[in-house]
Amino acid sequence: MSTSKKSPALPSAPAALVQDIARPLVTVDVVVFSLIDEALQVLLVQRPRQGSEPFPGQWALPGGFVDVLLDDDLRACALRKLREKTAVESPYLEQLGSWGGRLRDPRGWSVTQVYFALLPWASLQPRKGANAADVRWFPVDAAGVTLADDSLAFDHGQILAAAVKRLRSKVEYTSLPAFLLPEPFTLPQLQRVYEIVLGRPVDKSAFRTRALAAPDFLEEVGPQATGAPRSPMGYRLVNRQQPVTFPRTFQSRS
Amino acid sequence: MSTSKKSPALPSAPAALVQDIARPLVTVDVVVFSLIDEALQVLLVQRPRQGSEPFPGQWALPGGFVDVLLDDDLRACALRKLREKTAVESPYLEQLGSWGGRLRDPRGWSVTQVYFALLPWASLQPRKGANAADVRWFPVDAAGVTLADDSLAFDHGQILAAAVKRLRSKVEYTSLPAFLLPEPFTLPQLQRVYEIVLGRPVDKSAFRTRALAAPDFLEEVGPQATGAPRSPMGYRLVNRQQPVTFPRTFQSRS
DNA sequence: ATAATAGTGTCTTTTAGACAATATGTA
DNA sequence: TACATATTGTCTAAAAGACACTATTAT
């Protein structure tokens, strides 16, 4: 990060105040996924209908400007945005990427850092966000998203599509879907989550072998009464911060 | 990306100009890797010794402030930074991540978007950057980096470490290292690159089978005279924009 | 002819896919 | 006891690891 050398004239001119010329707008957005009613769903907020803000009334990813007084760093900012909408404190959170350019926000050159959160649904029943008048879960259907790509504010349709793609691709070889379940969970439940996110059935035997063989993945916590005729074993994650990577991808030979 | 609602008082106050309060500094940095003298190397630039800029004389990743007039978007900005130092036009370039916070730059809250470039060494012999007084390649050794982590400016030591980690991990299951070679290249050369980046030997037979079996990866371009007793077949990449993903990771059983 | 490197073949091991068989707890 | 679901077992297939073998060409 070196200061770029503009204006080659005046070689020893006193350095101007750092970038007092136009600075881009800086925001953080969060793509929040959870599993509700046997479906992958994403959390969206409705933008205010009144006022001078762009995209009034449209649905958008939760997020907003970095507050240089409140936020120590980007991750803290993402957690704050999430807390404002869901009262969730410590979800699985990873960076998805950045989108920045001149045209994505009518107010000017802007850049957003997008995070990617996976929540167990049980953990957010509580409040629905204090100030969030309109916060809703939307199912992410097989094709991609329920909403047409450009029905979301800004370039959030694209961002959401990228998030879904990343999730689907990582599910092939990591334990990411486990973060969508409240603990304790059973192997049949976990397998079901994989099937929902992947959109195809997974072989029971292979799935169990893989899951139980993975080091530092699951920990037994005793049988669970799920209402099933035979009580399945309950498990919890050894590490809720980091997913486990499997040595191969899931693949259907048929 | 909704405007965060500060100052709950004055419910209907006229909206202030967008974030005319402190905006973070926005930069783009590029971690440029290439393969030189049978070693993975990274491109660093030396910060000016004179002037009011932070970290004078220290080595840093090439990069700098986004210029909202010059740059259409983040990727264009990264390409511009790269061009300024290497005269390379279209390398393999992917986002690595963002680092942002209050303390990483003494000039204030700053956020950097880091890209990750892989270059075939042959392509940058030409110039060494017009204005770049000090641009040098540094070998990335097995332990991580040649330079101690905190000998780089800003948090660039951390960033570089993350880039190396990402490269090493992706090498296990993608064709990324192929972007480090000028075309045409031979399979023994490609295998050598994998061994260099991974830091361990790779079985010849398994490597060839995997490489040749991967769809849309390699294209034959006729035998190459490399000086070897038997002329090996030359190949070029079908797609220089996107790496190929292999269905399994490399693993040594011994 | 020999040496050195390119390229192939064979055998074993691992793990997933397919699917059948067994175990267990509730109605 | 019957049934539904959990769990295990068996067989096959695909692909990697290990390593030996063959092919080709410059000297």
Side-chain angles (χ1 to χ4, degrees):
Chain A
M1 204 188 81
S2 61
T3 305
S4 52
K5 293 165 185 152
K6 294 297 130 38
S7 56
L10 298 178
S12 294
L17 271 177
V18 176
Q19 284 292 96
D20 45 11
I21 56 168
R23 295 184 186 185
L25 298 165
V26 180
T27 62
V28 168
D29 293 306
V30 189
V31 184
V32 187
F33 288 116
S34 194
L35 195 73
I36 308 171
D37 299 336
E38 297 262 296
L40 184 67
Q41 310 219 12
V42 62
L43 189 75
L44 298 177
V45 302
Q46 195 170 25
R47 296 182 57 77
R49 295 182 176 284
Q50 325 287 347
S52 60
E53 292 190 21
F55 301 99
Q58 282 188 258
W59 291 94
L61 298 172
F65 292 113
V66 167
D67 185 318
V68 300
L69 299 176
L70 280 182
D71 303 317
D72 286 343
D73 55 33
L74 289 175
R75 186 183 177 85
C77 179
L79 287 171
R80 177 172 64 83
K81 301 293 178 193
L82 193 61
R83 203 166 43 231
E84 287 171 4
K85 304 298 178 201
T86 65
V88 169
E89 286 296 330
S90 57
Y92 173 74
L93 191 69
E94 73 172 41
Q95 277 196 356
L96 176 63
S98 309
W99 276 256
R102 187 178 290 127
L103 302 175
R104 60 181 300 278
D105 188 321
R107 293 166 294 188
W109 219 108
S110 77
V111 54
T112 185
Q113 329 292 322
V114 184
Y115 282 77
F116 179 104
L118 300 181
L119 302 184
W121 166 238
S123 68
L124 15 101
Q125 311 274 21
R127 84 162 125 150
K128 260 197 135 185
N131 61 346
D134 276 295
V135 180
R136 282 233 301 269
W137 289 97
F138 290 83
V140 174
D141 65 23
V145 188
T146 291
L147 306 159
D149 255 20
D150 52 358
S151 70
L152 293 189
F154 305 101
D155 49 3
H156 289 189
Q158 277 181 50
I159 294 175
L160 177 52
V164 172
K165 190 177 166 193
R166 165 97 138 242
L167 176 61
R168 291 236 165 87
S169 108
K170 276 203 160 186
V171 165
E172 300 276 353
Y173 59 94
T174 72
S175 67
L176 268 190
F179 297 118
L180 294 168
L181 283 179
E183 295 174 330
F185 53 83
T186 70
L187 282 186
Q189 286 171 343
L190 183 59
Q191 180 180 348
R192 189 79 193 97
V193 180
Y194 271 86
E195 292 177 334
I196 290 168
V197 179
L198 287 172
R200 60 179 151 87
V202 166
D203 181 79
K204 188 169 40 167
S205 174
F207 181 83
R208 297 177 65 92
T209 307
R210 163 189 281 227
L212 294 176
D216 301 317
F217 180 27
L218 298 175
E219 194 173 22
E220 288 192 2
V221 295
Q224 301 297 309
T226 58
R230 173 174 173 180
S231 294
M233 178 59 69
Y235 296 87
R236 66 177 206 81
L237 296 176
V238 172
N239 181 352
R240 282 200 78 85
Q241 313 308 314
Q242 203 73 30
V244 169
T245 300
F246 302 116
R248 296 200 207 170
T249 59
F250 283 104
Q251 252 158 347
S252 180
R253 201 155 10 238
S254 48
Chain B
M1 207 187 81
S2 61
T3 305
S4 53
K5 292 164 185 154
K6 295 297 128 38
S7 56
L10 299 178
S12 294
L17 272 176
V18 175
Q19 284 295 94
D20 45 12
I21 56 169
R23 296 184 186 185
L25 297 165
V26 180
T27 62
V28 168
D29 293 306
V30 189
V31 184
V32 187
F33 288 118
S34 193
L35 195 74
I36 308 173
D37 299 336
E38 298 261 297
L40 184 67
Q41 309 219 12
V42 62
L43 190 74
L44 298 178
V45 302
Q46 194 171 25
R47 296 183 58 76
R49 294 183 177 283
Q50 324 288 346
S52 62
E53 292 189 23
F55 302 99
Q58 282 189 260
W59 291 93
L61 298 172
F65 291 112
V66 167
D67 186 319
V68 300
L69 299 176
L70 281 181
D71 303 317
D72 286 343
D73 55 33
L74 289 175
R75 186 183 177 84
C77 179
L79 287 171
R80 177 172 66 81
K81 301 291 178 193
L82 194 61
R83 204 166 42 233
E84 287 172 3
K85 304 298 178 203
T86 65
V88 169
E89 286 295 330
S90 57
Y92 172 75
L93 192 69
E94 72 173 39
Q95 278 195 356
L96 176 64
S98 309
W99 276 257
R102 187 178 291 129
L103 302 176
R104 59 180 300 278
D105 188 320
R107 293 166 295 189
W109 218 107
S110 77
V111 54
T112 185
Q113 330 292 321
V114 183
Y115 281 78
F116 179 103
L118 300 181
L119 302 183
W121 165 239
S123 68
L124 15 101
Q125 311 274 22
R127 86 162 123 148
K128 261 198 135 186
N131 62 344
D134 276 296
V135 179
R136 281 232 302 267
W137 290 97
F138 289 83
V140 174
D141 65 25
V145 187
T146 290
L147 307 160
D149 255 20
D150 52 357
S151 71
L152 293 189
F154 304 101
D155 49 4
H156 288 190
Q158 278 181 50
I159 295 175
L160 177 52
V164 171
K165 189 176 167 194
R166 164 97 138 243
L167 176 61
R168 292 237 165 86
S169 110
K170 276 203 160 185
V171 165
E172 299 276 352
Y173 59 94
T174 72
S175 67
L176 268 190
F179 296 119
L180 294 168
L181 283 178
E183 296 174 329
F185 53 82
T186 69
L187 283 186
Q189 286 171 344
L190 184 59
Q191 180 180 348
R192 189 80 193 96
V193 179
Y194 271 85
E195 293 177 334
I196 290 168
V197 179
L198 287 173
R200 60 178 151 89
V202 167
D203 183 78
K204 186 170 44 165
S205 175
F207 181 82
R208 296 177 66 92
T209 306
R210 163 190 282 227
L212 294 175
D216 301 317
F217 179 28
L218 297 175
E219 193 172 25
E220 289 192 1
V221 295
Q224 302 296 309
T226 58
R230 175 173 172 180
S231 293
M233 177 59 70
Y235 296 88
R236 66 177 206 81
L237 295 176
V238 173
N239 181 351
R240 282 201 79 85
Q241 313 308 313
Q242 203 73 29
V244 170
T245 301
F246 302 115
R248 297 199 205 171
T249 60
F250 283 104
Q251 253 158 347
S252 181
R253 200 152 12 236
S254 47

